[in-house]
Structures are given as structure tokens and as C-alpha cells.
Amino acid sequence: MNTKILLPVLLIGFSSSAFAAKVVSSPDTLSSAMEVLNLPGENRRMAIDGNPKFYDSFISLAFSDKQPMNLRWKALMGAAESKKLEATADLLKAGSHDQWYMRNAALVALSEVNPTQAEKLAQKLVKDKALVVRSAAVEVLGKNMSAETRDLLWEELNKDYNFKNKQSLWVRHQIVEQLAKKPVDHEIKSFAGLLTDADDRVQLPAVRGLQKLTGVKLGENKLKQSELVSLWKDYVKKEKL
């Protein structure tokens, strides 16, 4: 795996799980696998990379509801690092796990070892009940913005679950950030409409999308965001975009 898979700092543990690992490793092998997983990050990656020796133990640990969340995350990452593409089936299983962090870890790992399957999983998990998982799915989808993916993200932008108490959640501006990287012509009205979005975090990437589509740059670099957005509102009205 060329890109390092980072373990996020997680403060709250979860223990329940509807999944159980099919592979049961011996206590000695499990103990050795845990020792590898507890190595410092770079040492751990060097010990695991392309070496399938502890794969079965990693999978057992990842799907064990007796293990803490951070160890299960590292174990699933370790499985992906050790068998890479061949870990796909187990990673897809984790992608439908009842624990959000397993679904999240599956997306992260798959994006490194099997981008095609990661994209397919992300198309499902962009609708996940967990905001963190939806956010991870947006990141994965942003790596290959096909016409189908763009349409999906535009649809997700205003789904009820991306608001809480009518307040826009961060995943919405994340979606617009991805869409604004390489906007397409027919989206100009959609970006223009976001200039009046109640979430000002959405407005700035919308401006970037409009800048790329029109080739126009308004105002000075040091303008406040509100001033820049106001200029673009005037421009959109004048040009009847």
C-alpha cells in the first residue's frame, strides 16, 4: 500500500456487534498479531506490508466484539495491508457491519487496495446513518467524479439526514468542495443557487465552482467571504445565470 492509512483518534469505545469472524486463530498467533498491531505506525506498516502471515488473525481481531474499537480498526487496516486486493471480500463484509467504525474503516482500506469496489461501496454508504461514514464516502467518491457520481452527490446535498434541527451539517460543504473541483457546464445554475444557501460554508466552494465555469474572477484576494459572495450574487443576477 503506497499511501499510509491513518488511525484517527477515537475517544469512545463500542462493544456490541452482530458479526463474528469465521476464522479462529490460535492464541499464540493472535497474541503475535496483536504485538504487531501495537507497534509504532511506521514499524507496523513495515512488518505487515505484503506479508499475509497474520491475515487470518487480523480478520479475527477486526470482527471480534471483545476487542476495543481502536484495535479492531488497526486490525482491519492490517488485513488490507497484508493481502491488499485479496482482502476485498472481507473488507466488503466489514462495509456492511453494524458498527459505524467498521464501515468507515472498510471504505478507507478499500480505497487503497481496490478503488473500484471502494467507489461502489461509497455509493451506498453516502446514505449511511452515521455522518462520519457519509463523510468518508464523499471523500472516496471525490476521487473519481463520473457523471453518475456527480448526480448522486447533487442529490445527497439536500437530503434530510444531512441537516440536524434544520442546520446544515459539515458533509454538505464537503460535497460542494468535491463538486467544485472540476465543475461541468450544466451545473452553473446549481452553483449559482448555492450562493444563497443558509450555510456560509457552502457558499465559498460554490464561488470556486462558478469561477472555473465562467473564467471570471471578481474582487481582490483579501475580500471577506461575505463581500465576495455578494459580488457573485450581483454578477449572477446581471448575467442571468
Side-chain angles (χ1 to χ4, degrees), residues 140-185:
V140 170
L141 292 173
K143 295 179 180 180
N144 181 25
M145 295 288 278
S146 64
E148 179 185 7
T149 297
R150 298 189 72 83
D151 289 344
L152 175 61
L153 290 180
W154 280 112
E155 291 174 6
E156 290 301 308
L157 184 61
N158 291 317
K159 293 292 187 181
D160 289 344
Y161 43 73
N162 286 326
F163 295 83
K164 185 174 182 179
N165 298 325
K166 297 184 178 181
Q167 295 295 312
S168 175
L169 298 175
W170 86 72
V171 71
R172 293 187 69 246
H173 87 263
Q174 184 186 8
I175 288 173
V176 183
E177 289 279 4
Q178 296 294 345
L179 290 167
K181 288 179 178 179
K182 293 182 179 180
V184 293
D185 289 342

Side-chain angles (χ1 to χ4, degrees), residues 27-42:
D28 288 344
T29 306
L30 281 175
S31 177
S32 297
M34 291 183 72
E35 288 178 4
V36 171
L37 293 175
N38 286 322
L39 289 171
E42 190 60 35

Side-chain angles (χ1 to χ4, degrees), residues 18-133:
F19 286 69
K22 294 182 179 179
V23 178
V24 179
S25 300
S26 70
D28 288 344
T29 306
L30 281 175
S31 177
S32 297
M34 291 183 72
E35 288 178 4
V36 171
L37 293 175
N38 286 322
L39 289 171
E42 190 60 35
N43 292 345
R44 181 173 68 248
R45 283 183 287 273
M46 289 176 63
I48 294 174
D49 190 27
N51 181 358
K53 179 179 180 181
F54 295 116
Y55 181 82
D56 289 346
S57 295
F58 290 156
I59 292 300
S60 291
L61 291 167
F63 284 94
S64 172
D65 60 6
K66 295 180 181 180
Q67 301 301 330
M69 177 168 52
N70 65 336
L71 181 66
R72 295 175 71 179
W73 179 288
K74 286 194 291 186
L76 197 63
M77 296 299 105
E81 289 173 334
S82 66
K83 275 199 173 180
K84 303 184 185 300
L85 186 63
E86 294 179 32
T88 297
D90 285 316
L91 295 178
L92 288 174
K93 177 184 173 183
S96 60
H97 200 279
D98 64 338
Q99 292 287 15
W100 68 266
Y101 56 84
M102 291 290 283
R103 301 192 298 276
N104 193 81
L107 271 176
V108 174
L110 272 173
S111 68
E112 298 296 336
V113 302
N114 193 334
T116 299
Q117 290 299 320
E119 183 177 358
K120 291 180 180 179
L121 181 60
Q123 289 173 352
K124 297 178 182 179
L125 295 185
V126 75
K127 303 174 182 294
D128 196 84
K129 61 184 179 181
L131 176 58
V132 173
V133 177

